[in-house]
Amino acid sequence: MATLTNVATNTATKTMTNDPILKVEHLSMRFGGLMAINDLSFEAHRGDITALIGPNGAGKTTVFNCVTGFYKPTMGMITMRQKGGKEFLLERMTDFEVNRDAKVARTFQNIRLFSGLTVLENLLVAQHNMLMKASGYTILGLLGFPTYKKAAGESVDIAKYWLEKANLIDRADDPAGDLPYGAQRRLEIARAMCTGPEFLCLDEPAAGLNPRESLTLNELLRSIRKDSGTSILLIEHDMSVVMEISDHVVVLEYGQKISDGTPDHVKNDPKVIAAYLGVEDDEVEEVIEEIEVIAENEGPQGGSHA
Amino acid sequence: MTNIANTSERAGGNLTAQALREGFYAGVISLGLFVLFVGLETTQNIRNELVINQRWGLLAIFVIVAAVGRFLSVAYLRPWAAARKASAAARPVDEEVSFFKRNFSKIAIVALLVYPPLMVMLFGVQGSLKWVDNFGIQILIYVMLAWGLNIVVGLAGLLDLGYVAFYAVGAYSYALLSQQFGFSFWVLLPLAGILAAFWGMILGFPVLRLKGDYLAIVTLAFGEIIRLVLINWTEVTKGTFGVSGIPKASVFGIWSFDVSAPNNFAKAFDLPMSSAYYKIFLFYLILALALLTAYVTIKLRRMPIGRAWEALREDEIACRSLGINTVTTKLTAFSIGAMFGGFAGSFFAVRQGFVSPESFVFLESAIILAIVVLGGMGSLVGIAIAAAVMVGGTELLREMTFLKAVFGPDFTPELYRMLIFGIAMVVVMVWKPRGFVGSREPTAFLKERKAVSGSFTKEGHG
């Protein structure tokens, strides 16, 4: 864990420096006649929590699936730049290579745990590639070489570390399908982190969580960024999560970017307000005025639910 | 279920009255149902005329069975079942498991090791043949095959209906290579396994994209293709005549079981000539092979590859998101499963001394799959029990000569083998939908090893 703490000291200063970890350029994705994403470009900076928001059907999950290799984009370039400076063109890689080589991990909107495996086993499966190498692609492991035993012990330690972080250590030996919903969400994040990613993509991590669980999720995400230096890209509808923890927000509507900037900037962008409240274009001015009045009355926190 | 519980709580008289009423209704319904089917029968007499036979006695038996059965079920069986369920629920969960249950596999292995000498002591050298060969070896072959298929179906969740193809590949590899090149069993055993694993990969490549039913259909077709090739490629396989005169295995070349050989086993130990020694040797051989299968399966489950198989069964997309190459994972499952099929196949050839395509029909695949499902997918102990019950049970039917006294001398119980097999499957699946052992042993644990209930594990879908 020594390397992790090293990174942690740097992250505070690194925030919002111009060091993009992920660069999406002119990304387009067409499903038959539907243009799900249309010429989208944005950057996610190293050490940042970038949020991707937008109304339902705006194409957020499609962007995710393109970034993580589950879809092949129709057009565009997605560049992932690792800490060592190594660059990967994600649109050319298949899904498992994106995780294995480019070190991009993801979670799913509808939780996809291995429900019949225990919580601990879920986290061990996530360390598959590391353990495969250590076990000499199973052969040395079968013969009982000590390298595998050592690696297996380490993998349990890594799993324990993340179980403690996700507050799941007491349930380690229970089947994953037996956990309550909020714990399953945390476990999915912990499992993604066990693959040792540099970039973590979370698809609606707060969906279906109650306010208290949302708070612990915020804590978990912050500590992931702080302690392991992993940059995070998240899709979220829960504005209390988005505005609270993200450094950078990208807003999508109908597959196009309509706003990009800090949470405060986005919050007050008339285009974003129009997209969420659904007003006619000529009424936008009016709505802005109304919002400003409300914001003045409520103080600085007001309007975060916009 | 609630009304049953209610009735059992109320006075017994009430229950008897209800049982009598329901029994009466059941009698009336069965009378209505069977009066034309059973009560009346049309037959042709000598002059080719249709005559109606009246069988009131038989009808009465049917009606009485239905009425009394219903009465007994309502009055006694249901309250008993409800009481049992209630007491089971009341019992504390953390009950101490018995010594037998905890050490089941060790006891079973020791029992199998002493089984042949015990049979020789009980039935004599010649008399033990039936028990060692028909029961012991036959069951153990199926145990091994089912354990091999378990890797593909139970762990990786890939439904394979053509497993017998690999069994055939193993059997023919041994039969043909031993005749052509005169290799011994101990050389050909690993070779047969490698060849079967190779064919497993050949099957694996085209079916990687398929899931569920489609995968099952293609594997079924693969099994049939192998069988048809064996039938039609007569220059090599001799077609339906099969390959005969397959040489026997030897005890690592030290003792032979050929009668004419100078190092014959019986001669070397001054024993009377008997084929029983060879069978006992084969029993230990298949026992060792089956245990090897179990050992490798247990080891592999704790390796990353085994965990990846089980993860693949649970959720393939999640596997890919974690950087697991599902293509190689599936191929290893197919080829390792096939390899054990190949081992079993070469053993089969050496045991029979004769192989023909008839031994590798689809029914064999179906039986092996049925054993895996009945035993509980992924559970080695459950599968072994299921194989013993299914294969041993059908073998036992041959022994039931007393049934001839009941049903007449023309009755051959073996013919009802598949019927009973089917009924047994239905009964077990109703009683235990997840098989004999439905729970899953976790491969790693922090504090305590808790079995994962079958309701959480998935069957896999491709």
Side-chain angles (χ1 to χ4, degrees):
Chain A
M1 290 297 140
T3 49
L4 296 185
T5 43
N6 251 346
V7 177
T9 48
N10 297 337
T11 42
T13 51
K14 256 190 183 169
T15 320
M16 283 311 272
T17 51
N18 202 10
D19 174 21
I21 184 163
L22 184 84
K23 218 194 251 170
V24 175
E25 287 161 286
H26 306 291
L27 180 70
S28 295
M29 180 78 207
R30 185 199 290 278
F31 295 109
L34 175 78
M35 207 67 174
I37 312 169
N38 193 358
D39 197 24
L40 172 74
S41 302
F42 71 91
E43 282 178 5
H45 297 280
R46 193 176 306 282
D48 270 7
I49 295 181
T50 307
L52 195 59
I53 65 170
N56 282 329
K60 305 179 296 286
T61 300
T62 310
V63 172
F64 251 54
N65 283 338
C66 289
V67 168
T68 51
F70 279 78
Y71 289 162
K72 285 264 158 289
T74 318
M75 264 185 284
M77 192 156 98
I78 308 167
T79 320
M80 159 84 194
R81 202 158 158 272
Q82 285 185 351
K83 246 174 277 178
K86 216 170 166 195
E87 286 196 351
F88 293 89
L89 294 175
L90 299 186
E91 81 278 2
R92 295 187 187 172
M93 300 164 80
T94 54
D95 40 19
F96 74 91
E97 290 170 338
V98 167
N99 181 290
R100 190 186 62 187
D101 304 330
K103 298 280 169 214
V104 177
R106 72 167 293 176
T107 65
F108 295 88
Q109 196 172 347
N110 42 348
I111 305 173
R112 284 185 174 276
L113 288 173
F114 307 122
S115 60
L117 308 189
T118 65
V119 171
L120 179 68
E121 283 178 304
N122 266 273
L123 300 188
L124 294 181
V125 169
Q127 301 172 54
H128 178 80
N129 288 318
M130 185 272 279
L131 287 173
M132 265 315 242
K133 271 204 198 93
S135 68
Y137 297 91
T138 312
I139 296 158
L140 298 183
L142 264 188
L143 300 174
F145 269 64
T147 47
Y148 174 64
K149 280 185 188 143
K150 195 162 146 268
E154 278 168 13
S155 71
V156 172
D157 287 340
I158 294 174
K160 258 193 206 158
Y161 172 79
W162 285 109
L163 282 174
E164 263 156 24
K165 280 221 140 186
N167 198 16
L168 289 168
I169 194 85
D170 298 331
R171 309 284 318 253
D173 298 326
D174 289 330
D178 202 17
L179 296 182
Y181 192 80
Q184 293 198 0
R185 284 261 176 227
R186 292 203 302 280
L187 175 59
E188 209 188 11
I189 294 170
R191 189 181 66 179
M193 287 310 296
C194 276
T195 62
E198 291 199 14
F199 192 60
L200 177 65
C201 301
L202 304 173
D203 198 345
E204 301 206 19
L209 300 190
N210 63 32
R212 214 182 59 222
E213 287 172 323
S214 292
L215 278 182
T216 50
L217 177 78
N218 285 356
E219 283 308 304
L220 177 62
L221 295 186
R222 279 212 192 93
S223 80
I224 283 175
R225 175 175 61 163
K226 196 165 130 276
D227 298 342
S228 54
T230 307
S231 319
I232 297 175
L233 175 69
L234 62 96
I235 292 179
E236 194 45 76
H237 280 297
D238 186 341
M239 288 303 148
S240 69
V241 173
V242 172
M243 296 301 162
E244 190 76 6
I245 63 168
S246 50
D247 307 294
H248 176 194
V249 180
V250 177
V251 189
L252 284 187
E253 194 194 15
Y254 298 119
Q256 280 171 316
K257 186 167 83 174
I258 56 172
S259 185
D260 186 348
T262 62
D264 279 323
H265 168 80
V266 166
K267 199 156 52 180
N268 298 316
D269 190 328
K271 270 187 174 167
V272 177
I273 296 162
Y276 269 89
L277 297 182
V279 293
E280 300 292 328
D281 285 342
D282 50 313
E283 288 174 20
V284 168
E285 295 295 313
E286 267 174 57
V287 174
I288 294 167
E289 276 167 31
E290 270 175 43
I291 297 267
E292 273 167 4
V293 172
I294 295 168
E296 272 165 32
N297 290 345
E298 284 191 358
Q301 298 96 331
S304 62
H305 56 274
Chain B
M1 286 318 251
T2 46
N3 62 344
I4 298 163
N6 282 342
T7 48
S8 66
E9 277 163 22
R10 260 182 263 147
N14 199 350
L15 187 70
T16 318
Q18 194 206 351
L20 278 174
R21 200 166 56 239
E22 289 201 16
F24 174 71
Y25 288 144
V28 170
I29 291 169
S30 58
L31 179 68
L33 276 176
F34 292 122
V35 67
L36 292 178
F37 289 123
V38 179
L40 300 173
E41 186 196 30
T42 55
T43 46
Q44 285 177 331
N45 65 7
I46 296 165
R47 277 170 292 164
N48 249 356
E49 292 167 341
L50 270 184
V51 287
I52 291 184
N53 286 346
Q54 296 172 345
R55 300 191 293 183
W56 303 127
L58 191 63
L59 179 65
I61 292 174
F62 271 65
V63 171
I64 288 168
V65 165
V68 172
R70 182 71 189 172
F71 172 77
L72 289 177
S73 141
V74 172
Y76 301 106
L77 201 64
R78 277 199 200 160
W80 174 76
R84 226 178 82 117
K85 208 171 182 187
S87 73
R91 232 182 357 230
V93 188
D94 50 1
E95 199 184 354
E96 190 66 28
V97 270
S98 66
F99 173 80
F100 179 72
K101 250 189 179 169
R102 259 182 299 140
N103 296 300
F104 179 79
S105 33
K106 277 177 211 143
I107 294 170
I109 290 170
V110 171
L112 283 171
L113 284 174
V114 300
Y115 177 76
L118 195 72
M119 287 299 129
V120 171
M121 277 199 295
L122 284 178
F123 302 100
V125 174
Q126 211 57 34
S128 71
L129 250 174
K130 182 178 82 184
W131 294 99
V132 172
D133 191 31
N134 291 6
F135 284 87
I137 295 178
Q138 186 74 6
I139 291 172
L140 282 174
I141 285 183
Y142 278 96
V143 168
M144 177 167 180
L145 283 170
W147 277 348
L149 183 62
N150 174 50
I151 293 174
V152 186
V153 179
L155 296 185
L158 304 162
L159 186 54
D160 185 352
L161 291 181
Y163 190 65
V164 81
F166 307 122
Y167 190 39
V169 167
Y172 269 86
S173 316
Y174 178 68
L176 296 175
L177 291 177
S178 67
Q179 290 205 329
Q180 293 291 319
F181 303 105
F183 291 147
S184 80
F185 175 74
W186 297 103
V187 175
L188 286 173
L189 179 73
L191 203 59
I194 290 168
L195 280 172
F198 171 71
W199 280 99
M201 286 229 235
I202 297 224
L203 167 68
F205 267 113
V207 302
L208 281 171
R209 296 161 160 276
L210 304 178
K211 279 183 197 281
D213 311 349
Y214 305 97
L215 175 76
I217 293 290
V218 175
T219 52
L220 185 141
F222 179 77
E224 287 302 293
I225 287 170
I226 294 274
R227 193 174 64 88
L228 290 173
V229 166
L230 292 179
I231 289 178
N232 290 305
W233 197 9
T234 41
E235 304 92 87
V236 176
T237 63
K238 303 205 183 85
T240 45
F241 292 110
V243 183
S244 54
I246 299 167
K248 287 177 176 175
S250 62
V251 189
F252 304 108
I254 303 167
W255 297 296
S256 156
F257 290 97
D258 287 327
V259 184
S260 54
N263 56 347
N264 182 285
F265 184 83
K267 278 184 200 156
F269 291 91
D270 282 331
L271 295 165
M273 277 293 180
S274 166
S275 61
Y277 306 121
Y278 184 50
K279 296 296 179 193
I280 290 171
F281 164 67
L282 287 182
F283 179 90
Y284 283 118
L285 182 60
I286 186 68
L287 182 63
L289 285 173
L291 289 179
L292 175 78
T293 315
Y295 176 77
V296 171
T297 308
I298 292 168
K299 273 273 179 190
L300 282 180
R301 273 195 69 209
R302 293 180 191 157
M303 306 284 291
I305 187 70
R307 290 210 191 97
W309 288 339
E310 290 201 78
L312 194 68
R313 178 191 68 204
E314 299 288 321
D315 195 325
E316 184 176 346
I317 290 175
C319 275
R320 302 178 74 84
S321 85
L322 296 174
I324 296 174
N325 187 342
T326 49
V327 170
T328 50
T329 309
K330 281 185 189 177
L331 281 181
T332 48
F334 263 118
S335 55
I336 291 178
M339 183 180 78
F340 289 117
F343 287 158
S346 66
F347 175 83
F348 174 80
V350 97
R351 176 210 182 196
Q352 303 291 85
F354 167 74
V355 288
S356 82
E358 251 167 67
S359 310
F360 309 108
V361 289
F362 170 66
L363 186 66
E364 292 294 313
S365 288
I367 289 175
I368 300 165
L369 186 67
I371 289 171
V372 174
V373 173
L374 270 184
M377 295 207 289
S379 156
L380 295 180
V381 173
I383 288 170
I385 294 172
V389 170
M390 283 296 144
V391 182
T394 50
E395 286 296 317
L396 265 183
L397 277 179
R398 282 185 226 277
E399 307 297 316
M400 294 189 177
T401 39
F402 65 88
L403 288 174
K404 280 193 204 275
V406 181
F407 293 100
D410 296 337
F411 184 77
T412 40
E414 297 98 280
L415 293 182
Y416 292 84
R417 204 163 73 97
M418 291 323 288
L419 179 72
I420 292 172
F421 200 99
I423 292 173
M425 273 210 75
V426 171
V427 169
V428 173
M429 286 290 114
V430 168
W431 168 56
K432 283 204 159 203
R434 287 271 168 172
F436 288 137
V437 181
S439 61
R440 160 179 184 279
E441 280 287 300
T443 60
F445 61 98
L446 277 190
K447 291 188 201 75
E448 56 168 326
R449 193 186 286 278
K450 297 183 208 165
V452 175
S453 148
S455 54
F456 294 115
T457 51
K458 299 204 173 82
E459 296 89 357
H461 32 65

